């Protein structure tokens, strides 16, 4: 698994990461037991020298200090209790452990339909189509699936390999509360790798380019509202 009993953990509320909150609270804890079904028993965390009883069903980004370096995943608090003189939490791991990558924005796992097309250097530089007589919607777009998204980029599945550093346009729509919001963003390819066992499919990582603060804020709002709705469902509120 990569983590061990005794490993130190830092927990940050996912809501604060999604909002890119500059005043994030980092709660320090450690693993006491590794249980079945990806459940960990951890010490009730400490903040400013005080024990903090984190709320059940709240989600956190967990950073583990291990012999392999820093590992990270998201967790949800499933229980809290006292045993003897010690206070514990049980947390369930929500995704696979990965090496910590210092990102400016939280990545939200999703499954969205989208479209992608590669653009010329001139179009990227000027923002103008190579053939101004054509409608952008009439140009050849490829259907894609968006697997995760953040204010800084996205991970997608496409039907062809695209070279690193190629620049394209990515189109997709999301629902934010009761509003449908569409995006049409420049994006640079950071990596393109074949998906094992899926012939003709490639996983691409994209970095948004020239994105406006307004579009970035809308993406972050979409992520925040999606997480809020998921949390309400977990709590049986909807």
């Amino acid at each position: 698994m990569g983590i061990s009993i005794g490993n130190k953990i830092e927990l940050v509320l996912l809501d604060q990461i999604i909002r890119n909150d500059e005043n994030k609270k980092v709660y320090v804890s450690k693993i006491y037991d590794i249980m079945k079904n990806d459940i960990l028993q951890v010490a009730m965390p400490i903040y400013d020298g005080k024990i903090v009883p984190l709320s059940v069903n709240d989600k956190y980004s967990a950073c583990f200090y291990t012999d392999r370096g820093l590992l990270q995943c998201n967790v949800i608090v499933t229980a809290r209790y006292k045993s003897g003189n010690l206070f514990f939490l049980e947390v369930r791991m929500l995704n696979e452990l990965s090496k910590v990558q210092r990102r400016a924005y939280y990545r939200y796992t999703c499954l969205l339909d989208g479209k992608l097309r590669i653009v010329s250097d001139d179009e990227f530089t000027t923002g103008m189509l190579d053939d101004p007589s054509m409608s952008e919607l009439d140009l050849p777009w490829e259907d894609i699936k968006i697997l995760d998204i953040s204010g800084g980029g996205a991970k997608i599945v496409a039907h062809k390999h695209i070279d690193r550093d190629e620049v394209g346009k990515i189109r997709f729509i999301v629902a934010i509360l009761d509003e449908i919001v569409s995006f049409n963003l420049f994006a640079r390819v950071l990596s393109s790798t074949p998906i094992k066992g899926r012939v003709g499919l490639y996983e691409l990582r994209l970095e948004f380019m020239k994105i406006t603060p307004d579009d970035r804020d809308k993406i972050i709002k979409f992520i925040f509202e999606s997480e809020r709705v998921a949390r309400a469902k977990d709590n049986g509120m909807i």
Side-chain angles (χ1 to χ4, degrees), residues 180-202:
I180 301 300
V181 180
S182 61
F183 295 91
N184 188 12
L185 305 172
F186 286 111
R188 180 171 67 93
V189 177
L190 300 178
S191 66
S192 177
T193 55
I195 298 176
K196 292 181 180 179
R198 303 291 302 275
V199 177
L201 290 179
Y202 296 84

Side-chain angles (χ1 to χ4, degrees), residues 33-47:
D33 197 7
I34 300 174
M35 306 160 75
K36 293 181 180 179
N37 301 320
D38 295 324
I39 298 288
L40 307 178
Q41 181 193 49
V42 304
M44 198 81 78
I46 295 173
Y47 186 80

Side-chain angles (χ1 to χ4, degrees), residues 153-166:
K155 179 170 69 176
I156 69 169
V157 171
H159 292 276
K160 63 181 180 182
H161 169 78
I162 300 175
D163 290 338
R164 178 183 173 90
D165 290 330
E166 286 274 21

Side-chain angles (χ1 to χ4, degrees), residues 79-93:
R80 63 184 190 187
Y81 53 88
K82 182 179 180 182
S83 179
N85 295 323
L86 299 176
F87 294 87
F88 293 103
L89 296 174
E90 285 184 5
V91 300
R92 178 165 56 87
M93 300 167 65

Side-chain angles (χ1 to χ4, degrees), residues 8-200:
K8 174 187 169 184
I9 313 172
E10 290 183 351
L11 298 167
V12 179
L13 196 64
L14 272 184
D15 281 356
Q16 292 183 321
I17 294 177
I18 292 168
R19 292 194 302 266
N20 207 30
D21 193 334
E22 293 182 358
N23 298 311
K24 297 189 237 348
K25 291 183 178 179
V26 180
Y27 299 107
V28 178
S29 180
K30 74 173 181 178
I31 300 175
Y32 269 77
D33 197 7
I34 300 174
M35 306 160 75
K36 293 181 180 179
N37 301 320
D38 295 324
I39 298 288
L40 307 178
Q41 181 193 49
V42 304
M44 198 81 78
I46 295 173
Y47 186 80
D48 282 346
K50 298 179 181 178
I51 294 176
V52 181
L54 303 185
S55 298
V56 172
N57 290 327
D58 276 358
K59 293 180 181 179
Y60 290 82
S61 173
C63 181
F64 301 87
Y65 289 73
T66 77
D67 293 339
R68 293 173 50 193
L70 295 178
L71 300 178
Q72 187 175 40
C73 73
N74 296 333
V75 301
I76 184 170
V77 179
T78 56
R80 63 184 190 187
Y81 53 88
K82 182 179 180 182
S83 179
N85 295 323
L86 299 176
F87 294 87
F88 293 103
L89 296 174
E90 285 184 5
V91 300
R92 178 165 56 87
M93 300 167 65
L94 297 176
N95 55 336
E96 296 292 326
L97 286 164
S98 61
K99 291 228 174 154
V100 169
Q101 298 179 20
R102 300 299 183 184
R103 291 182 174 136
Y105 300 97
Y106 165 69
R107 286 193 175 271
Y108 172 65
T109 300
C110 57
L111 186 60
L112 300 172
D113 291 324
K115 293 184 179 294
L116 178 72
R117 68 178 179 87
I118 300 304
V119 303
S120 67
D121 291 343
D122 285 344
E123 181 178 345
F124 176 64
T125 301
T126 66
M128 303 292 292
L129 297 179
D130 293 339
D131 184 351
S133 68
M134 293 190 66
S135 165
E136 186 173 14
L137 294 178
D138 293 333
L139 294 173
W141 294 83
E142 179 185 357
D143 291 331
I144 60 169
K145 292 289 185 182
I146 300 175
L147 302 183
D148 72 34
I149 192 168
S150 75
K155 179 170 69 176
I156 69 169
V157 171
H159 292 276
K160 63 181 180 182
H161 169 78
I162 300 175
D163 290 338
R164 178 183 173 90
D165 290 330
E166 286 274 21
V167 175
K169 273 280 194 80
I170 180 172
R171 286 172 45 207
F172 58 96
I173 61 172
V174 300
I176 304 176
L177 296 177
D178 294 326
E179 181 184 3
I180 301 300
V181 180
S182 61
F183 295 91
N184 188 12
L185 305 172
F186 286 111
R188 180 171 67 93
V189 177
L190 300 178
S191 66
S192 177
T193 55
I195 298 176
K196 292 181 180 179
R198 303 291 302 275
V199 177

